[in-house]
Amino acid sequence: MSAPEVPARRQTRQRTAVLALLDELDGFRTAQELHALLRERGDAVGLATVYRALQALVDDGLVDVLRSEVGEAAYRRCSPVHHHHLVCRSCGRTVEVADPPVERWAARVAAEHGFADVQHQLEVFGTCRPCAAAQREDRLSGRGR
Amino acid sequence: MSAPEVPARRQTRQRTAVLALLDELDGFRTAQELHALLRERGDAVGLATVYRALQALVDDGLVDVLRSEVGEAAYRRCSPVHHHHLVCRSCGRTVEVADPPVERWAARVAAEHGFADVQHQLEVFGTCRPCAAAQREDRLSGRGR
DNA sequence: CGGACGTGTGAGAATGGTTCTCATGACCAC
DNA sequence: GTGGTCATGAGAACCATTCTCACACGTCCG
Ligand SMILES: [Zn+2]
Ligand SMILES: [Zn+2]
Ligand SMILES: [Zn+2]
Ligand SMILES: [Zn+2]
């Protein structure tokens, strides 16, 4: 009800830089990594601002966020339609994938147990071919232990 | 190769208490919540020890861990066979569910993109019936805003 | 254009969950 | 029993994220 509540997002150098950087990267990156990359490239942006920009992008549905196993948040420019991810554990390379059956399954199993307001999260983790090859090499050289 | 590597888990009052508490609870609880519950009940255990005991249980496959949206880890006594979870957002009540099709789907989609060492995580979140009813009541009373 | 307003920025402090440190205590095989 | 480990716990350390607040700068009329 009442006003549509659009706080009017303002266009600044910092927000533009964050989104531009995300557009060039293909995988999930943490806020700290993005902050370091921006600094290297010269587009210096405060860390707190990186966090705020990412949060805004997530709210706008332009960016997906994923929690790593150690609890850090990682961000990626994603398409706005519902999808899931196939993520490389070591380099972050990501492929967007869809699985229509699981959507129906989630809704059905939730209904069967009387759960409402259903959401689901499905992610697949693995090692992409280049990273697997690199790891094999490492093992062949000195890393016996 | 070499020794089977079983560091010999020692049985102490603290670890017994943590596992016993988890056995009584039906949902995912954070380490801090478990620590508080143990203190109330009189089985006082240091917070660091709760974390260590939980980590050991996870390593042994007796407990599952889930990251909340705010990044906290939540633990639950679970069956040792592979399964997924239907979790109530507000009370933590949890149902273990299986979805054989998604297992095959994950393996296939990973193979198609050349990913190895595949793992997947699938969780469904919702509001269980009792919690939904409670929230409806709250809204009817003073919470107009 | 030219301010006025209100949002955005950033350095540093604060927060809070988790892990580490290390002196002390308690299992348990012998 | 005893000894050698491993476990415990209070507090410090860690570290990602958020908060604070003085200041800068888009945006919007006029
Ligand atoms: Zn995505
Ligand atoms: Zn889905
Ligand atoms: Zn489980
Ligand atoms: Zn599965």
Side-chain angles (χ1 to χ4, degrees), chain B residues 37-141:
Chain B
L37 286 171
L38 287 170
R39 172 166 294 183
E40 285 176 18
R41 132 187 324 204
D43 279 330
V45 175
L47 178 57
T49 300
V50 173
Y51 276 104
R52 282 183 291 234
L54 289 170
Q55 192 52 60
L57 290 168
V58 170
D59 292 344
D60 290 350
L62 299 175
V63 163
D64 279 0
V65 58
L66 206 61
R67 294 253 164 209
S68 81
E69 307 180 29
V70 293
E72 300 171 325
Y75 303 84
R76 175 178 186 266
R77 183 73 217 269
C78 276
S79 74
V81 304
H82 178 79
H83 60 266
H84 301 278
H85 303 111
L86 172 58
V87 186
C88 174
R89 253 186 295 270
S90 53
C91 73
R93 189 192 321 278
T94 297
V95 182
E96 296 187 11
V97 288
D99 181 25
V102 83
E103 314 293 331
R104 283 189 292 276
W105 172 84
R108 181 170 52 76
V109 78
E112 281 173 5
H113 291 88
F115 280 58
D117 300 326
V118 185
Q119 284 184 326
H120 64 276
Q121 60 183 51
L122 167 60
E123 315 295 344
V124 184
F125 298 93
T127 307
C128 69
R129 221 183 317 259
C131 285
Q135 288 174 14
R136 220 171 296 123
E137 264 181 41
D138 281 359
R139 218 169 305 129
L140 288 183
S141 50

Side-chain angles (χ1 to χ4, degrees), chain A:
Chain A
M1 328 306 175
S2 70
E5 280 306 327
V6 185
R9 204 127 279 165
R10 202 169 274 188
Q11 177 181 341
T12 66
R13 174 182 67 80
Q14 292 86 342
R15 290 184 182 175
T16 304
V18 169
L19 186 53
L21 175 57
L22 285 170
D23 271 325
E24 302 176 16
L25 299 173
D26 52 340
F28 280 88
R29 297 295 147 88
T30 67
Q32 312 258 0
E33 289 173 336
L34 295 170
H35 177 240
L37 286 172
L38 287 170
R39 171 167 295 184
E40 286 177 17
R41 137 187 319 208
D43 279 331
V45 175
L47 179 57
T49 299
V50 173
Y51 276 103
R52 281 183 293 234
L54 289 171
Q55 191 53 61
L57 290 168
V58 170
D59 292 344
D60 290 350
L62 299 175
V63 163
D64 277 2
V65 57
L66 205 61
R67 293 255 163 207
S68 80
E69 307 180 29
V70 293
E72 299 170 324
Y75 303 83
R76 174 178 186 266
R77 183 72 216 270
C78 277
S79 74
V81 303
H82 178 79
H83 60 267
H84 301 279
H85 304 111
L86 171 59
V87 186
C88 175
R89 254 185 296 270
S90 51
C91 73
R93 191 192 320 278
T94 298
V95 182
E96 297 188 10
V97 288
D99 182 25
V102 81
E103 315 293 331
R104 285 189 291 276
W105 172 84
R108 181 170 52 75
V109 76
E112 281 173 4
H113 291 88
F115 281 59
D117 299 325
V118 186
Q119 284 184 325
H120 65 275
Q121 60 183 53
L122 166 60
E123 313 296 344
V124 184
F125 298 93
T127 307
C128 70
R129 219 180 321 254
C131 286
Q135 288 174 13
R136 220 172 296 124
E137 265 181 41
D138 282 357
R139 220 170 302 129
L140 289 183
S141 49
R143 309 301 178 64
R145 200 228 183 266

